[in-house]
Amino acid sequence: MKTPYEILGVPKTASQDEIKKAYRKLAREYHPDRNPGDAAAEERFKEIQGAYDTVGDEEERKEYDARGNGFGGFGPGGAGNFSAADVNLGDFGDLLGGLFGGRRAGAQPRPRPQRGADLEVPVKLSFEDALHGLETKVAVEVDATCRTCHGSGAEPGTAPTLCPVCHGRGVLAESQGLFAISQPCPRCRGNGTVIETPCHTCGGAGTERRTRRFSVKIPAGVKTGTRIRLKGKGSPGEAGGPAGDLYVVTEVDPSKRFHRRGEDLVVDVPVTYPEAALGATVEVPTPEGGRVSLKVPAGAHDGKLLRIRGQGAPKLKGGGRGDLLARVKLSVPSKLSKKEREAIEELQRVSHEDPRQELLS
Ligand SMILES: [Zn+2]
Ligand SMILES: [Zn+2]
């Protein structure tokens, strides 16, 4: 009779890590998925499995070591008649962890319904479209039912066949005294059927990538990074789970004229020195393409923000609009006529202001 250590090819003093590594390597090599129809490999896999069940878990191993070779050997037909079912390749470790919470033998494991993934798709908008809103189309790649095999995963003309390991039950049960341990069948991964001839389109997955197009209403007032949710238009769910959502994420072209500041829009308004000094009424463009009159107060300094209510960007929530902020931009002439020069020189002569007094004090 071989001991679990001999079966796994490790010394009795091996660390848990070394045992795990040896087990993974062997389990991969002899897994029924890799060796279809090979009875010897299957026996070997069961043997490896049984050995790991015993020494792969630190607590179990302590008990085993204390007992000596208490199970009476792990060879094929030995008392430790472990099934190949207690593991699937995706899930090593903690193999006996499910002992007490385990299902009763015969209970059919159902794959748990899973919600599909949320997807994101960007959409580019002009500044004007972002202000007005529009309806547009987005294209997104999603996993969809394969059109060749209609989701079965089997090549047309063939059908999935009954799993030879679990005979269609999808689960393998091992009775141990009072307890019955059952695990999803490793050959068919709980499906109860196996695909002998995989579909040539999807390779047996039953799904394929497909481009789907959706119409999306972009509300007025979006800015770069606004997310619009299309419920249920994401990846399809698994095992009857709901589909995920699709998020359309807006990317708005900047405007040469207007700068977004939340729901407000800032626009630079050039103002001459006499207008700023004396005060004036000037015209300001609105984002809608119109104009509004703006009173610039006497003594307005460069950079002063003048608020024009309700002429900003539409508010996404709650309606209404933000404000238009006119920023005074003092315009200095680059060329002067003779008359202008004389007037400015006169202004300088009579000016009593020293704007740098505070700076130099
Ligand atoms: Zn297919
Ligand atoms: Zn099976």
Side-chain angles (χ1 to χ4, degrees):
M1 290 296 179
K2 283 197 266 180
T3 70
Y5 298 108
E6 287 164 351
I7 290 165
L8 294 172
V10 293
K12 264 189 105 158
T13 53
S15 69
Q16 288 305 126
D17 233 1
E18 286 169 319
I19 290 175
K20 199 170 172 182
K21 261 187 207 148
Y23 163 69
R24 284 186 180 197
K25 192 169 166 284
L26 290 169
R28 277 204 197 96
E29 195 178 335
Y30 291 101
H31 196 277
D33 277 1
R34 283 254 180 112
N35 306 277
D38 183 344
E42 197 178 323
E43 275 312 307
R44 180 87 172 100
F45 181 79
K46 287 180 188 175
E47 201 185 28
I48 294 156
Q49 194 51 57
Y52 186 72
D53 279 357
T54 308
V55 296
D57 177 86
E58 203 162 358
E59 291 304 313
E60 293 288 325
R61 183 184 179 189
K62 268 185 206 153
E63 272 182 43
Y64 170 80
D65 288 343
R67 257 196 323 264
N69 193 353
F71 283 139
F74 288 85
N81 185 20
F82 286 82
S83 108
D86 301 339
V87 72
N88 64 57
L89 275 175
D91 181 23
F92 297 95
D94 226 3
L95 295 169
L96 288 178
L99 180 59
F100 294 101
R103 268 186 281 259
R104 290 184 54 80
Q108 183 80 15
R110 295 241 176 269
R112 238 178 328 144
Q114 268 186 332
R115 188 175 175 277
D118 289 342
L119 300 174
E120 270 188 15
V121 61
V123 64
K124 270 181 167 290
L125 299 173
S126 69
F127 186 80
E128 287 71 28
D129 284 343
L131 286 183
H132 298 132
L134 84 162
E135 191 158 340
T136 186
K137 284 200 160 49
V138 291
V140 62
E141 283 231 311
V142 292
D143 286 323
T145 304
C146 172
R147 280 173 292 189
T148 305
C149 64
H150 303 290
S152 77
E155 181 67 13
T158 74
T161 55
L162 212 62
C163 173
V165 175
C166 64
H167 307 290
R169 291 172 62 223
V171 68
L172 288 166
E174 175 75 28
S175 170
Q176 294 212 333
L178 284 173
F179 299 105
I181 311 167
S182 74
Q183 297 282 350
C185 171
R187 177 77 173 86
C188 63
R189 296 178 199 284
N191 292 325
T193 53
V194 289
I195 291 160
E196 303 283 1
T197 318
C199 164
H200 70 271
T201 303
C202 64
T207 58
E208 60 174 340
R209 297 294 278 175
R210 207 183 302 161
T211 304
R212 297 182 69 186
R213 270 165 238 283
F214 298 109
S215 212
V216 56
K217 258 196 144 110
I218 311 278
V222 296
K223 47 191 156 189
T224 292
T226 302
R227 291 155 65 86
I228 299 145
R229 187 171 76 142
L230 300 185
K231 202 172 179 311
K233 304 295 188 200
S235 289
E238 276 176 45
D245 298 333
L246 175 64
Y247 286 92
V248 177
V249 185
T250 54
E251 213 181 298
V252 181
D253 285 342
S255 157
K256 280 196 186 105
R257 204 166 269 175
F258 300 98
H259 304 275
R260 249 347 242 264
R261 190 183 279 186
E263 282 145 357
D264 296 338
L265 293 171
V266 181
V267 60
D268 283 335
V269 181
V271 172
T272 64
Y273 176 75
E275 284 171 338
L278 303 173
T281 298
V282 300
E283 290 207 305
V284 175
T286 68
E288 299 299 336
R291 289 177 181 184
V292 283
S293 283
L294 173 68
K295 241 182 119 99
V296 178
H301 56 81
D302 188 60
K304 187 179 177 66
L305 284 173
L306 301 166
R307 190 173 290 270
I308 304 164
R309 299 220 175 261
Q311 295 285 345
K315 293 180 182 174
L316 274 177
K317 283 172 198 158
R321 302 178 78 105
D323 300 333
L324 182 61
L325 301 174
R327 183 161 54 198
V328 172
K329 200 167 174 244
L330 207 54
S331 169
V332 178
S334 46
K335 263 190 203 158
L336 293 174
S337 65
K338 191 166 176 273
K339 251 186 147 174
E340 281 170 329
R341 174 174 295 276
E342 283 167 8
I344 289 172
E345 281 168 356
E346 176 63 13
L347 176 64
Q348 195 165 33
R349 230 182 341 267
V350 301
S351 178
H352 51 83
E353 193 194 10
D354 179 3
R356 289 172 296 281
Q357 191 178 19
E358 206 184 300
L359 177 71
L360 299 174
S361 67

